[in-house]
Amino acid sequence: ADKSQNDGKITSRTTDEETRPDIQLTVFPRVIEPHVVRKEHDNNDCAQNNDNMPSSECRDMSKNYDEMLITVTLLRPEGRHELKFAQKLKRKEKIPEDDAFFRSTSSNTGKRNKDEERQSFQMPTIGLVGGDNMDKSYLTPLDLKRLAWGIQQVRGIMKQPPLSDSTGVETYPGTQYINGFKLETFIQENYLHNAHWSGTSRMGNLEKDHMAVVDEHLRVRGVENLRIVDASTFPVIPNGNTHSTVCAVASRAVELILGQNS
């Protein structure tokens, strides 16, 4: 697979059929990635309050200062998701007087009666389009295989000198998760999702693209003296982190605002 390196990150194609990288490996000299740290803190808190929690699910945070972290990120997931808004449930039930997620169906006085029936609503959910389980089916089978491939690449890299001469054993997920179904099951149960939001006010030709919000000079459609200068103006979602692209947009915006090329 082709690899390119930039700012501590390695991107790669999982197959020769891919036209651009779909996996990103990010190297941290310590366990400092915010999402990972937050999850480990949550696991530790849960373990302290739950004697039945498996020890494998809780790691000693004090050891993080002796560990290197390499994250495997899926840049272009196959999974497409849908948001289901709150829905009124058919059943009616008696609920506590102060419950904010229920609406009175019989009282016109504004006073709440503990015995009156109130209509309940199902909370919004998000999940795979057409998935059976809206809460858990976040990754498709292909997504899982790509992430498993990425983990195997990390293991291969870490076995090469000089890294292999100065690093110890794998601590997470651990050598018990070799490959195949067991590794993919581990990924399904322990993945973390993250996103760098962009493209919500995309740039485009205002005469041809009626969904474009700003023109090529970052000027907002129909509003004078207003420009947008951030990741929302991206016409195409970048294949990776957005920081360098945001810097390029900001640099161009400075030129436009100063009138060097407007």
Side-chain angles (χ1 to χ4, degrees):
D2 295 335
K3 294 181 174 65
S4 59
Q5 186 172 354
N6 183 23
D7 298 334
K9 302 178 181 65
I10 301 173
T11 59
S12 179
R13 298 182 299 161
T14 55
T15 66
D16 292 336
E17 287 73 24
E18 295 291 339
T19 58
R20 51 185 175 150
D22 57 344
I23 285 287
Q24 174 177 292
L25 308 180
T26 306
V27 181
F28 298 87
R30 295 289 184 269
V31 183
I32 57 175
E33 204 284 332
H35 293 79
V36 175
V37 172
R38 186 180 303 114
K39 181 176 181 179
E40 294 198 346
H41 276 299
D42 291 343
N43 283 348
N44 284 340
D45 292 342
C46 181
Q48 293 174 3
N49 299 321
N50 186 358
D51 295 335
N52 296 323
M53 185 177 183
S55 58
S56 61
E57 296 296 326
C58 177
R59 301 169 62 221
D60 185 356
M61 289 292 292
S62 64
K63 296 181 179 179
N64 286 353
Y65 296 102
D66 299 324
E67 295 180 349
M68 172 189 289
L69 171 67
I70 302 179
T71 61
V72 180
T73 304
L74 189 61
L75 297 178
R76 295 184 291 111
E78 179 186 54
R80 293 295 179 266
H81 303 83
E82 60 185 357
L83 174 66
K84 282 192 173 182
F85 293 99
Q87 298 179 354
K88 184 185 294 185
L89 300 179
K90 294 182 179 180
R91 59 184 173 83
K92 295 181 180 180
E93 54 188 41
K94 295 180 180 179
I95 61 164
E97 182 179 358
D98 59 350
D99 195 314
F101 294 101
F102 291 80
R103 176 177 57 82
S104 173
T105 58
S106 59
S107 174
N108 294 320
T109 63
K111 297 180 179 180
R112 297 191 173 185
N113 187 334
K114 292 183 179 181
D115 295 327
E116 80 176 327
E117 292 184 335
R118 306 186 186 184
Q119 179 67 59
S120 59
F121 292 83
Q122 182 181 19
M123 295 300 292
T125 57
I126 187 170
L128 283 176
V129 174
D132 294 331
N133 191 325
M134 291 297 293
D135 294 322
K136 297 182 179 179
S137 299
Y138 197 83
L139 300 171
T140 69
L142 179 58
D143 291 337
L144 293 173
K145 291 184 182 300
R146 285 173 168 170
L147 289 171
W149 181 91
I151 292 176
Q152 298 287 52
Q153 297 304 302
V154 172
R155 289 170 170 170
I157 293 171
M158 299 306 293
K159 290 180 180 179
Q160 304 301 317
L163 280 176
S164 59
D165 300 331
S166 56
T167 56
V169 298
E170 176 183 324
T171 59
Y172 189 85
T175 55
Q176 67 271 31
Y177 299 100
I178 302 300
N179 51 38
F181 177 77
K182 196 171 184 179
L183 180 57
E184 291 176 19
T185 299
F186 174 87
I187 295 171
Q188 178 68 67
E189 295 176 349
N190 294 277
Y191 70 86
L192 296 173
H193 49 76
N194 187 20
H196 297 259
W197 304 107
S198 64
T200 54
S201 303
R202 75 170 183 241
M203 179 192 303
N205 186 315
L206 300 186
E207 296 181 357
K208 298 180 180 180
D209 184 358
H210 297 293
M211 294 298 293
V213 176
V214 300
D215 62 14
E216 65 274 19
H217 300 290
L218 302 173
R219 296 174 299 199
V220 177
R221 177 197 297 269
V223 182
E224 295 183 359
N225 301 319
L226 178 63
R227 302 179 199 256
I228 297 178
V229 185
D230 57 26
S232 69
T233 62
F234 296 173
V236 178
I237 298 176
N239 197 38
N241 293 59
T242 58
H243 176 263
S244 58
T245 312
V246 169
C247 290
V249 172
S251 178
R252 176 61 175 158
V254 170
E255 295 177 355
L256 293 172
I257 292 171
L258 292 178
Q260 295 179 7
N261 187 6
S262 59

